[in-house]
Amino acid sequence: MSSNDKGPPAGRNKPWSGRFSEPVTDLVKRFTASVGFDHRLAEFDIDASLAHARMLNAVGILAKPDLAAIEKGMEQILGEVRAGTFPWSLEYEDVHFNIERRLTDLVGDAGKRLHTARSRNDQVATDVRLYLRASIDHVLTLIKELQKTLLDLAEAHADTVMPGFTHLQVAQPVSLGHHLMAYFEMFARDAQRFAEARRRVNRLPLGAAALAGTSFPIDRLMVAKELGFDGVCENSLDAVSDRDFAIEFCADGALVMMHLSRICEELVLWMNPRFGFIDIADRFCTGSSIMPQKKNPDVAELIRGKTGRVNGHLVALLTLMKAQPLAYNKDNQEDKEPLFDTVDTLMMSLAVFTDMLAGVKVNKEAMRAAAQQGFATATDFADYLVKKGAPFRDAHEAVAQAVRLATDRGCDLADLKLADLQQFSPLIGKDVFEALKLDGSLKARSHLGGTAPARVKAAIAKARKGL
Ligand code: ARG
């Protein structure tokens, strides 16, 4: 894949090729190679190799000068990787062989000693875990940023009335702050899930070697400590074979994307002039090449669309794993692209969504007007009758008839005359109009978890503390 592709003599280019009478075909070489994508693991591979080498030295398997040579060589390799000058080569199949080969080119026999008491099987499992741990930490930071933005917007709109929907029909008035805090809760659970997944990710596979462990007196706990793992994988077969931790990451990612997609769907609807609830800043929208009037919420739509792609990766990984016998199989090489794309998609979506949300302009008047038009306080009307002594079912029926009359007249409940309302129940008095007010409806729901602005503000304050 790189122009530096010199390569060794045909047939002898792989560390395992000694056993073979002919080299793999070019097609097989390209088919089996993963370096085109797993080079992303390079820095983790180097970290893990250094920890392994230091342990080998500590237990007397690797001489001090060899360790020094490996450290020096790896330092140069790290520099090359970061500078983009590392000579990645398809000849050496994957990130692990490429780095080992380069090390040997740079420091000679010491490089060849590094692979003592280790296999690419425990090596790759370690690299992926290190990569995922770093990715989880990054994702957690991004979720926190999003939560902060949600809190700011919710705080500014704790008193903003909007129609709450069920079945996408106007149901009851809610505060926009309350609505946004619903998403805060969802993302809080997402963050918890990632934090829990991190605990399972953060265990060291190295030492499992190919599958059965090694005959060398290795110190796995020392390696675990050096690499910041909480402990080691307890069974060598399990350590090299299962990718449940990667599947879990994708599942947690799919849930985040699903939540993002839901709120994006709402933003798209709300920006439609029929709603007119919000405006999304121009820098997050695009126009049409043919319709000059258009302003399209592309970013929100694209996040909604990318959700499908992450769902696909989750299913790909589940399918990849489902029929694999113990222990390592080459199938597992296929875990990387779905995983990497999940990480990229998740991080990009979270970052761009947070930016976009911070720039959303709310049209309070439109929200209030929509709540006023949809009989949103019909339940409050029924509750009013119940408080006057009517059984709830009778109250429900009386209000339903009042809604019907208002619908026929093309007006809202509060626009009906007292005498009109009284034909549905003798319990109705002048004070009914208080019950039909939006702000009264909101304020009345002041219990824990309710939409009363005071309660919403308390929830925001609590959430802020918790972050
Ligand atoms: N590139 C391989 C992977 O991603 C590394 C492990 C290869 N092990 C093996 N026995 N072929 O899984």
Side-chain angles (χ1 to χ4, degrees), residues 89-102:
S89 166
L90 205 59
E91 285 305 319
Y92 308 126
E93 202 174 317
D94 59 19
V95 60
H96 322 292
F97 274 164
N98 266 272
I99 290 179
E100 190 187 327
R101 174 74 202 203
R102 178 83 183 131

Side-chain angles (χ1 to χ4, degrees), residues 91-387:
E91 285 305 319
Y92 308 126
E93 202 174 317
D94 59 19
V95 60
H96 322 292
F97 274 164
N98 266 272
I99 290 179
E100 190 187 327
R101 174 74 202 203
R102 178 83 183 131
L103 183 68
T104 304
D105 284 350
L106 291 172
V107 305
D109 279 357
K112 294 190 200 160
R113 295 209 165 92
L114 173 62
H115 211 55
T116 313
R118 173 176 93 160
S119 152
R120 274 186 303 155
N121 296 355
D122 56 348
Q123 197 179 348
V124 70
T126 302
D127 293 2
V128 173
R129 282 173 185 264
L130 287 171
Y131 166 78
L132 267 189
R133 185 179 71 189
S135 301
I136 289 173
D137 291 343
H138 193 168
V139 166
L140 284 172
T141 316
L142 291 170
I143 293 179
K144 197 176 261 188
E145 287 304 311
L146 168 54
Q147 287 181 294
K148 277 191 209 146
T149 305
L150 277 167
L151 284 182
D152 291 344
L153 202 59
E155 191 153 53
H157 292 285
D159 297 291
T160 301
V161 185
M162 64 173 276
F165 300 93
T166 62
H167 311 267
L168 203 52
Q169 309 297 315
V170 172
Q172 293 174 354
V174 294
S175 120
L176 172 59
H178 193 53
H179 189 106
L180 293 168
M181 286 303 285
Y183 284 103
F184 180 91
E185 292 291 320
M186 296 177 221
F187 291 116
R189 289 194 298 277
D190 288 334
Q192 274 170 19
R193 267 186 285 269
F194 274 114
E196 282 160 24
R198 190 189 193 283
R199 289 196 292 119
R200 284 180 283 278
V201 164
N202 203 28
R203 303 214 147 243
L204 174 79
L206 265 185
L211 76 165
T214 169
S215 58
F216 291 96
I218 55 170
D219 182 351
R220 298 186 68 203
L221 295 177
M222 178 186 166
V223 180
K225 194 157 171 237
E226 167 137 6
L227 291 173
F229 283 108
D230 296 328
V232 301
C233 301
E234 301 278 348
N235 178 290
S236 65
L237 298 167
D238 176 46
V240 291
S241 64
D242 206 351
R243 295 292 182 266
D244 57 355
F245 59 92
I247 297 174
E248 197 177 346
F249 178 90
C250 287
D252 294 352
L255 285 168
V256 170
M257 291 302 295
M258 179 272 289
H259 288 146
L260 284 175
S261 182
R262 293 185 70 188
I263 191 167
C264 282
E265 167 71 9
E266 297 200 317
L267 296 184
V268 169
L269 274 175
W270 293 357
M271 199 182 106
N272 182 298
R274 296 270 168 146
F275 275 82
F277 286 4
I278 59 158
D279 197 19
I280 296 177
D282 282 1
R283 61 186 180 280
F284 298 102
C285 297
T286 62
S288 157
S289 55
I290 177 169
M291 298 166 283
Q293 85 285 11
K294 293 279 274 178
K295 174 175 167 182
N296 298 326
D298 285 35
V299 170
E301 293 169 74
L302 204 49
I303 292 172
R304 196 175 59 190
K306 282 181 188 286
T307 304
R309 156 185 196 138
V310 173
N311 291 350
H313 295 328
L314 171 60
V315 174
L317 289 191
L318 283 166
T319 312
L320 171 73
M321 205 69 242
K322 74 177 256 297
Q324 283 194 53
L326 286 177
Y328 176 87
N329 302 282
K330 185 77 165 180
D331 310 41
N332 278 344
Q333 183 164 290
E334 283 289 304
D335 65 352
K336 286 169 203 63
E337 286 157 295
L339 195 57
F340 294 165
D341 190 67
T342 298
V343 169
D344 292 344
T345 306
L346 193 56
M347 286 184 183
M348 275 268 256
S349 301
L350 278 166
V352 73
F353 180 80
T354 301
D355 272 2
M356 180 172 69
L357 189 68
V360 160
K361 291 255 169 329
V362 175
N363 184 344
K364 294 190 196 188
E365 293 68 36
M367 284 193 166
R368 177 173 282 272
Q372 234 133 25
Q373 280 159 16
F375 309 116
T377 52
T379 313
D380 299 271
F381 189 178
D383 288 351
Y384 163 88
L385 288 173
V386 169
K387 283 169 195 162

